[in-house]
Amino acid sequence: VDISDPANPFSLDTTTLTNYPNGLVRVSDDMLCVWNYDEGLEFLDVSNPERITRVGAFSRFGVYDAVFADGVGYIAEGPLTIVRVDASGDAELLGLVGSNTSDVALMGQFAIVATHADEIIVFDVSEPSAIVEMSRLSLDVNVLALAASGTALYVLSDENNFLVVDVANPASPTVVGECSMPGSSGRARVVDDRLYASLSHGGLAVFDLTDPLLPEIDGWIDTLSGVAMGIGDGLVIVPSHRGYGYEVDLYDSREWPP
């Protein structure tokens, strides 16, 4: 979709995927990764937006989330799985650590994972073949999603709130606050000093992160769906389920409220 004019987006190309996409993340300027819980990751060459090409895949089972930085992917899929993806879409396994992971967020050289045991674990992944566990923090909530800004980690739960964890000292992360939400969230992203949390019952909650350790509610978008959202080129991209079909809503994160 060409969004150079956000008020008038239009389709450039459509490509067929092997499976239903559970999530989408950018690997590089010219490559996207689409992941499916049951089948793993597919890599798409988008260097020519009018001719999207599937260039590779990385078969996994149980993928909950994936994030990339500098061509290296961090996959929450049981263990934290680390892969390097080259320009041709070939994925090389670099390392595995832990188990029972449900989400992952990056913070510089550290990967922070949530587990189904309701804890977060901080790993130093500066050397993927020799990953070092820095710390663990047990929580009294059912962790659904993670997001990070600076050294602040946001832990979203099914209790209509999220915790703020200070990870300035990776060896000793500390809960420093919590913030109420109008529902539980299954996916969250940070862009332009705001946290966007897609809610399970529908809608998108927005929080001001001018002070990352003191988030404040900044607005609400009624998307009619709790489908996970993505971020691109300063725009908040929100897939929404309306009636019998899906639509994509675009919001400019630099001009708020919409």
Side-chain angles (χ1 to χ4, degrees):
V1 178
D2 187 327
I3 55 175
S4 55
D5 178 3
N8 296 287
F10 61 91
S11 176
L12 291 173
D13 190 23
T14 300
T15 191
T16 300
L17 300 172
T18 304
N19 290 282
Y20 177 86
N22 292 121
L24 173 70
V25 64
R26 184 177 292 277
V27 177
S28 65
D29 289 342
D30 294 331
M31 186 178 295
L32 296 179
C33 169
V34 180
W35 55 266
N36 171 271
Y37 177 84
D38 293 318
E39 300 294 336
L41 286 61
E42 294 184 70
F43 302 108
L44 307 177
D45 183 338
V46 293
S47 56
N48 179 1
E50 297 184 4
R51 190 176 179 82
I52 301 171
T53 305
R54 182 181 184 274
V55 292
F58 187 65
S59 180
R60 313 303 288 176
F61 177 78
V63 176
Y64 285 95
D65 199 4
V67 294
F68 281 80
D70 300 323
V72 177
Y74 303 84
I75 309 165
E77 51 112 2
L80 172 65
T81 301
I82 304 178
V83 297
R84 178 179 289 115
V85 182
D86 63 21
S88 64
D90 290 332
E92 174 192 3
L93 178 64
L94 298 179
L96 296 165
V97 67
S99 62
N100 210 24
T101 63
S102 59
D103 204 1
V104 57
L106 295 181
M107 194 177 286
Q109 72 186 68
F110 303 102
I112 305 173
V113 302
T115 76
H116 293 290
D118 299 332
E119 62 180 357
I120 59 171
I121 308 174
V122 182
F123 292 107
D124 184 335
V125 293
S126 54
E127 178 49 66
S129 62
I131 301 168
V132 178
E133 180 179 318
M134 300 294 294
S135 59
R136 292 179 179 238
L137 178 63
S138 295
L139 301 169
D140 293 326
V141 296
N142 180 22
V143 180
L144 298 181
L146 300 176
S149 176
T151 61
L153 178 73
Y154 309 108
V155 182
L156 294 96
S157 74
D158 61 356
E159 297 184 6
N160 295 357
N161 69 357
F162 65 89
L163 302 178
V164 182
V165 180
D166 188 349
V167 196
N169 179 1
S172 183
T174 304
V175 176
V176 294
E178 65 178 76
C179 196
S180 297
M181 290 202 311
S184 60
S185 177
R187 184 66 55 82
R189 290 291 184 265
V190 171
V191 65
D192 295 336
D193 295 325
R194 288 189 178 88
L195 172 70
Y196 297 86
S198 56
L199 304 177
S200 57
H201 66 270
L204 186 72
V206 185
F207 296 85
D208 185 337
L209 301 179
T210 301
D211 183 341
L213 295 177
L214 292 172
E216 296 182 356
I217 187 72
D218 197 31
W220 160 266
I221 299 173
D222 184 5
T223 66
L224 303 183
S225 174
V227 179
M229 51 76 188
I231 302 296
D233 298 326
L235 298 176
V236 183
I237 304 172
V238 186
S240 293
H241 182 219
R242 292 187 172 93
Y244 294 99
Y246 287 89
E247 299 178 1
V248 175
D249 298 327
L250 302 179
Y251 299 92
D252 191 335
S253 66
R254 297 156 295 188
E255 298 180 5
W256 192 260

